[in-house]
């Protein structure tokens, strides 16, 4: 009997690798002679670095970068077992959790630290990147990241602008001459599971700004700033970003990757499952176990258990999901390839 175990982490409790091992331990009591293949996975959000490092026997690198408000923070990124691929979670350097509640203000925050992580990996010889955009504290359209990678920003008087959400209102000129040329040689996959455009009622500022500390007045200011950045970006790069789906991800960070690099925006779970080679491991598998901390109605929207189940169903393999707990309308997952759900707590 061949059993594949491919869960996400149980947030704030267990890593995906620890969940895999726990499920395996339980199943071995019943099927001691079965072949178990443990594949920690994630959906491109928090925990993706750890899951992919564990799944590929890679390693993590810690470095000091600028946090969202310019303070030094320790940030980690992963290098996969191939030694050629870096996995970077934007939240490590530019995450909302790095800003105390009383200081949260997307007019001031910057994604500069994320650019520093990318540069650190480039300096180490990395040319393939997987970037997770979730959990950002920023609304600067990735301009801070671009500044760390050599792009210059100027106001109408030719003075340097230090990028931030509000500073983009003063932006009049973008100079790409210093942009790190190594980026053009890279294969970059962006884990992005939102389709919000850069601006407007469904744009980065309106939808995500308030949870980062923006007031109603701030949202208007930030949206106008992103529109200004978007117009100038389209002019200097030739890439459309204002209305492109996903350009509003992570405070507009999606727009920066689309326009200034060869990056492609993809489903987070699809990137992860492709990277760990789950499809190849499903051949001749008898049953798949997956799971996450909480399975509920939201699970069907691009979360790990559904991604695993969809792939398993292509091989006609039954799928059982183990959860820390179940939530409202968790039964919705039964229409998306999962055959049974079991909470592991009473």
């Amino acid at each position: 009997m061949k059993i594949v175990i491919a869960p996400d982490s149980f947030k704030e409790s267990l890593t995906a690798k620890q969940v895999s091992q726990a499920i395996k331990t339980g199943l071995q009591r019943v099927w001691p002679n079965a072949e178990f293949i443990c594949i920690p996975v994630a959906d491109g959000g928090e925990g993706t670095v750890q899951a992919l490092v564990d799944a590929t026997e890679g390693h993590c690198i810690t470095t000091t970068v600028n946090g969202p408000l310019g303070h030094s923070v320790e940030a980690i990124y992963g290098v996969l077992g191939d030694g050629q691929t870096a996995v970077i979670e934007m939240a490590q350097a530019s995450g909302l959790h790095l800003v105390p509640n009383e200081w949260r203000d997307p007019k001031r925050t910057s994604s500069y630290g994320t650019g520093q992580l990318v540069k650190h990996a480039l300096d180490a010889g990395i040319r393939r990147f997987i970037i997770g955009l979730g959990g950002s504290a920023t609304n600067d359209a990735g301009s801070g990241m671009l500044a760390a990678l050599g792009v210059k920003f100027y106001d109408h008087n030719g003075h340097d602008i230090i990028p931030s959400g509000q500073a983009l209102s003063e932006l009049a000129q973008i100079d790409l001459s210093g942009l790190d040329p190594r980026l053009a040689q890279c294969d970059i996959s962006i884990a992005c599971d939102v389709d919000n455009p850069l601006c407007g009622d469904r744009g980065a500022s309106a939808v995500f700004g308030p949870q980062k500390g923006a007031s109603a007045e701030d949202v208007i200011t930030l949206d106008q700033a992103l529109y200004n950045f978007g117009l100038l970006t389209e002019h200097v790069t030739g890439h459309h970003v204002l209305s492109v789906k996903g350009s509003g991800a992570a405070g507009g960070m999606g727009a920066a990757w689309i326009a200034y690099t060869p990056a492609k925006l993809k489903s987070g779970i699809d990137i992860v499952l492709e990277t760990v080679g789950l499809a190849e491991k499903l051949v001749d598998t008898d049953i798949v176990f997956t799971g996450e901390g909480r399975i509920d109605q939201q699970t069907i929207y691009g979360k790990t258990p559904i991604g695993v189940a969809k792939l398993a169903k292509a091989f006609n393999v039954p799928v059982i999901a183990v959860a820390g707990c179940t939530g409202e309308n968790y039964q919705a997952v039964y229409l998306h390839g999962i055959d049974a759900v079991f909470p592991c707590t009473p």
Side-chain angles (χ1 to χ4, degrees), residues 300-313:
I300 66 175
Y301 298 108
K303 298 294 186 179
T304 291
I306 297 303
V308 171
K310 285 172 60 178
L311 200 52
K313 287 308 172 186

Side-chain angles (χ1 to χ4, degrees), residues 222-341:
L222 291 166
D223 191 57
Q224 291 172 342
L226 289 187
Y227 185 75
N228 184 43
F229 173 85
L231 281 179
L232 285 167
T233 291
E234 292 188 346
H235 175 69
V236 300
T237 69
H239 292 285
H240 296 291
V241 294
L242 285 170
S243 59
V244 174
K245 290 182 178 180
S247 61
M253 177 67 90
W257 285 110
I258 291 170
Y260 294 88
T261 79
K264 304 295 183 185
L265 271 57
K266 302 178 182 179
S267 160
I269 185 61
D270 289 347
I271 291 173
V272 172
L273 296 185
E274 179 182 339
T275 301
V276 300
L278 180 61
E280 293 86 346
K281 296 177 176 68
L282 287 172
V283 176
D284 298 326
T285 292
D286 294 289
I287 190 167
V288 170
F289 283 80
T290 185
E292 63 179 347
R294 178 186 176 93
I295 291 180
D296 55 22
Q297 171 72 30
Q298 296 303 310
T299 299
I300 66 175
Y301 298 108
K303 298 294 186 179
T304 291
I306 297 303
V308 171
K310 285 172 60 178
L311 200 52
K313 287 308 172 186
F315 293 83
N316 295 314
V317 180
V319 179
I320 292 177
V322 178
C325 64
T326 53
E328 185 176 357
N329 197 24
Y330 75 89
Q331 297 92 339
V333 302
Y334 295 145
L335 300 177
H336 296 268
I338 291 177
D339 298 293
V341 175

Side-chain angles (χ1 to χ4, degrees), residues 14 18 29 32 63 75 80 92 118 131 147 175 192 197 255 260 264 267 279 315 317-318 325:
L14 298 168
Q18 290 171 325
R29 298 171 185 162
T63 186
L80 301 191
Q92 276 287 320
V118 174
I131 312 287
D175 179 2
C192 177
Y260 294 88
K264 304 295 183 185
S267 160
F315 293 83
V317 180
C325 64

